Structure formats: structure tokens, C-alpha cells
Amino acid sequence: MTQEMGSLEICMAQKANMEAIFHSVADGILTLDNEGRVVNVNTAAARILGMPDGGAEGAGSGGAVGRPVSEVLRGRLWDVEPVLRHTLESGEGIQARENMLAGPADRDLRVLLTTSRLFDRHGDVGGAVIVLRDITQVRELEVKLEERGRLHSIIGKSHRMQEMFRLVEEVA
């Protein structure tokens, strides 16, 4: 009996450690069941997607748990659900594929999505995991740099014109 109790305590400690790791990762993580419904959402995914209460509550509260992935991750460049189905059926995940998602307050988010199958303790497919990396700010900065580079070419490359351009940017 004490050996069983020791094993249970070890399992509980490992579970607590895994949950701490799950919630400390900077990328968003969603786990899904075989039907494509959200089972777990880490803290970063809830923040990225603008979910209340860490995304834990179901559809009535705006949370993700229990909802189909198509409701939680609404892709604007490509639909997430067929890619997830392909991952579940074939085992072929995607690696860092860019998509635009409908974010909080109708603000589009640029993300890199990675998918992979999950297995249960018997080795059967038990669902999938989706990892989201928010690259919205990176894409916005790239656009600004491109615009500035084009504007610099239009205005001129002389030192005086560059100074004038910096002054215009500061005023704006």
C-alpha cells in the first residue's frame, strides 16, 4: 500500500511539474481531442487570443475549452480545421506555417502554427496539439521598414534629405 501511495505522489508531482511547464511556455499551446474540440489552453494562448479566465471556460464565457478549434482559431489565410484533420488522420503535422487569425477586438493576429498528434497511454491517437507563435509585431515592423525604405528612396539619399525625413517622422 505504501509503495502505491508513493507512486501516486510521484505521479501527482510530475503532473504538477508538467502543468507548470505548460503554462510557463511563451508560445500558445492548445490541446485538442480527436473531434477537434479544445481540451486545454495554456496561459500564453489565452493571452494571444484574448480569452478571459485563461481560456478555461467554455463557449458561454468566451473561453476555449470544449469548443471546436474552428471557433477558437478562425484563420483568415487558411482554415485551421482541415489541416488539423490531416494531422490527426495521417500524423503529418505542419511546422511554423503562417496564418492570420481573428484576434481580440477584431484585431488580426499573425501567427506561426505548428501541429502534431498526441497519443494516449495505449499508443492510440488521443488528439492533437497546436502551438501558436505570435509574430504580429514582427510583421508590423517589417512593413514599417519596407515603407520607410521606399520613402527614403523617393525623398532622396543625401544626408540633408535623410535628416529632413527623420524630422518629418518625429513630427508625425
Side-chain angles (χ1 to χ4, degrees):
M1 185 73 163
T2 48
Q3 186 178 10
E4 287 177 18
M5 198 59 151
S7 295
L8 179 61
E9 288 175 9
I10 290 170
C11 285
M12 295 303 287
Q14 287 176 339
K15 181 180 185 274
N17 287 339
M18 294 307 287
E19 286 177 357
I21 292 166
F22 180 72
H23 288 291
S24 68
V25 174
D27 290 340
I29 303 172
L30 294 92
T31 61
L32 311 159
D33 64 16
N34 283 325
E35 280 74 49
R37 287 185 307 267
V38 177
V39 176
N40 290 301
V41 179
N42 76 343
T43 305
R47 178 187 43 76
I48 291 167
L49 298 170
M51 295 176 186
D53 302 323
E57 296 301 318
S61 69
V65 173
R67 292 172 55 194
V69 70
S70 59
E71 290 179 13
V72 178
L73 303 178
R74 292 168 295 168
R76 299 213 193 274
L77 299 179
W78 49 272
D79 191 11
V80 175
E81 191 169 9
V83 171
L84 176 66
R85 284 269 149 241
H86 181 73
T87 297
L88 284 168
E89 292 167 7
S90 72
E92 296 174 16
I94 58 167
Q95 293 293 316
R97 184 170 167 193
E98 189 169 342
N99 201 347
M100 187 181 305
L101 301 178
D106 291 327
R107 182 173 173 258
D108 286 338
L109 300 168
R110 286 284 185 163
V111 296
L112 295 178
L113 287 161
T114 299
T115 65
S116 185
R117 276 202 276 192
L118 296 174
F119 298 92
D120 64 18
R121 62 187 178 139
H122 304 292
D124 297 324
V125 176
V129 61
I130 297 177
V131 178
L132 306 168
R133 175 163 290 168
D134 186 356
I135 59 167
T136 306
Q137 286 183 320
V138 172
R139 288 295 180 251
E140 289 171 355
L141 288 172
E142 286 175 349
V143 167
K144 285 180 183 177
L145 279 172
E146 285 175 16
E147 288 172 356
R148 184 172 178 174
R150 283 193 301 265
L151 200 50
H152 277 216
S153 297
I154 292 170
I155 292 175
K157 295 191 183 262
S158 74
H159 178 68
R160 295 185 96 181
M161 291 306 287
Q162 292 298 314
E163 283 297 317
M164 189 70 135
F165 183 70
R166 274 192 280 284
L167 199 64
V168 168
E169 281 183 334
E170 286 179 28
V171 170

